Every structure is written in C-alpha cells, then in structure tokens.
Amino acid sequence: MTIDPLIRLHDVLCELPNLTVAVSGGVDSLTLAFTAARVVPGFSALHAVSPSVPPAATQRVKDYALRHNWPLKLIESGEFNDERYRANPHDRCYFCKSNLYATMAARSSGPLASGTNLDDLGDYRPGLIAAKEHGVRHPFVEAGIDKATLRQIAVQFGLADIAALPAQPCLASRIMTGLRIAPEDLEFVDKVEALLRDHVPGDLRCRVTADGVVIEADHLPTTATALAAAQCQKAGRIFLGHKPYQRGSAFVLPDTLEADQHHG
C-alpha cells in the first residue's frame, strides 16, 4: 500500500518536538515550516539575513511568519566574517552553511531542520556536509519527498504564492568561482534580476564573471537587454550580453575548470 507523502512527512515531523526550521524564503523551507507549524509542538523558525539572501526572500519569510503566527527569529549567520567563504572557492557553500548551522544550532532548543529534498542529493552540495556535521535533519528526504512532490504539498495547503516559485539559490552562486564575494556585487545582481523579472519568463540569472556581466535566460527581450545594459553602465560594469540559461555556469571545479551543472 502506498502511503501519502504528506502522511509520511507528518510521521517524521511528529518525532521532532521543539523543531526549529531554517527558513530561507524559497518554496522548500517555507512549505516545511508551514507543515511543521501545524503538527510539531514547540515549533520555531529561523531566518538568516545576509547580503547573499535577496531582500524579497527575507520579506517573504517575515510575511509568512506574521500571517501564520510562527515564532520567528532573524539572525546574522556571519559567513561574511569568514575569509574562506569570501574567497569563493569551489566548496564555498560548505563554509557558508557551517557558519549558518553553527549559529542556528546555538539558537535552537531542539533539533534543526532544512528544506533539503530528494532531488538535492544528486547535486554537488558541500553544504550537506556542513549540515551533517551539525546534526541538521532533512524531513523531506526522510519522508522520501522530491521537489515536485513538495510543490504539490504546497498547492494542497493553498500556498499558491510559493508553489510555483522558481529555484533561487543564494546570490553568491551568481559570482564566478574564484572571484571574491563582495556585498556590492550581490546587491547589484539582486537589483538587476529584480528589474528584469517582469520581462523575462522562466529562469533568470545575472552572472558576474572576471570579464564582465552576463544575463542568462532562455529568452531575453530587447527591452530587458536594454535595461540590463543601462544598469551595467550606471554601475561602471562591462555588459557582455545575453546567453541561454545554463545551470551552474558560474561554478568551476579546480584543475578541470569544468562547469558543474548542479548549482544556480
């Protein structure tokens, strides 16, 4: 007999009293938090405010917490104080998540959980190593739930505003590996993507490379191209034009210099 995924998720969550969910502002963590708030005694949510997190994501978390009466704490995870993270090596995500989960674990009275799902396990994600080191639970994984299923759960709960949210990795994923992570670059990336969002359907990335700025999208209308070029000129950056969206194109592995296709 096939057990409903939501029932499996409830079974996992009910074994985690005083659970704290790390909420980034995407569909995964928000759906997990919404579910946990309904069934977990002592549930709470934590959100890290950082230059690498789009302000719109932070606002979305605040809105959800207010709307659904979640106990929410906003924290600073401190990754920008870590030179290993700022250097932007191929395993940057490990240092980011190490800082994040260490800070969150210190603020949690019970277990800590992330919105990681089954699809994430096939990616190159050094952050999962950091999660394991800090004892972070992954209820979606434990319940056998992938991205498509968790989106269905969001729809089932009537969370239409997040169910179809596109994947939004942290803003640092737009910076080519090896280029130092600077808050002003992340602010620029977020500003450009927010400006173009209404003009570009589907996936959209503003990539910062050693040579200049590239806009990646399956289709970039002339109006959006002009907007991007104007923003680059205003910021004193070189605009290299448009390329088709390629997942992980800003990420390069050491030695091979091959792009890993499992990053934003």
Side-chain angles (χ1 to χ4, degrees):
M1 181 179 67
T2 302
I3 301 177
D4 183 278
L6 187 54
I7 295 176
R8 296 200 305 267
L9 181 59
H10 281 174
D11 289 344
V12 171
L13 292 172
C14 286
E15 296 177 358
L16 301 172
N18 299 313
L19 178 69
T20 297
V21 175
V23 187
S24 66
V27 60
D28 303 13
S29 60
L30 283 171
T31 301
L32 179 63
F34 184 90
T35 310
R38 294 162 59 95
V39 299
V40 176
F43 158 82
S44 63
L46 282 174
H47 173 73
V49 180
S50 164
S52 66
V53 177
T58 296
Q59 189 59 52
R60 191 179 302 120
V61 173
K62 291 179 179 179
D63 291 344
Y64 256 69
L66 182 62
R67 188 184 314 156
H68 302 294
N69 197 30
W70 297 346
L72 170 68
K73 293 180 182 177
L74 302 179
I75 64 168
E76 293 183 4
S77 53
E79 74 272 21
F80 274 78
N81 297 322
D82 188 337
E83 284 300 320
R84 298 169 300 176
Y85 166 82
R86 296 287 299 274
N88 195 16
H90 73 280
D91 56 350
R92 178 200 70 244
C93 188
Y94 170 79
F95 301 112
C96 176
K97 295 299 187 184
S98 291
N99 283 282
L100 174 69
Y101 291 138
T103 302
M104 286 188 166
R107 301 289 186 91
S108 305
S109 59
L112 179 64
S114 82
T116 299
N117 64 80
L118 282 180
D119 291 349
D120 297 327
L121 302 185
D123 287 355
Y124 174 70
R125 290 180 181 261
L128 290 176
I129 299 174
K132 183 176 181 180
E133 291 175 350
H134 289 87
V136 177
R137 302 286 292 266
H138 308 302
F140 284 134
V141 174
E142 294 177 41
I145 292 173
D146 59 13
K147 187 81 168 191
T149 304
L150 74 86
R151 287 190 187 277
Q152 291 172 3
I153 291 173
V155 170
Q156 186 175 336
F157 281 136
L159 309 178
D161 57 329
I162 64 168
L165 278 176
Q168 278 291 320
C170 78
L171 295 173
S173 68
R174 277 57 153 190
I175 313 300
M176 179 173 284
T177 302
L179 297 183
R180 182 175 171 80
I181 301 295
E184 56 268 26
D185 288 340
L186 304 185
E187 183 179 1
F188 171 79
V189 165
D190 182 60
K191 182 177 182 178
V192 172
E193 291 188 3
L195 186 65
L196 301 186
R197 184 68 60 190
D198 290 339
H199 303 274
V200 181
D203 291 306
L204 168 69
R205 297 290 186 272
C206 174
R207 306 288 194 192
V208 176
T209 75
D211 298 320
V213 175
V214 177
I215 303 299
E216 290 187 6
D218 292 335
H219 174 65
L220 195 68
T222 302
T223 302
T225 301
L227 287 171
Q231 287 300 311
C232 287
Q233 183 177 23
K234 183 178 180 181
R237 297 173 183 264
I238 298 173
F239 180 51
L240 300 177
H242 162 248
K243 291 182 179 180
Y245 170 66
Q246 182 182 10
R247 190 178 183 190
S249 64
F251 178 76
V252 290
L253 290 168
D255 301 324
T256 64
L257 296 181
E258 293 179 354
D260 183 278
Q261 299 305 305
H262 303 301
H263 284 249

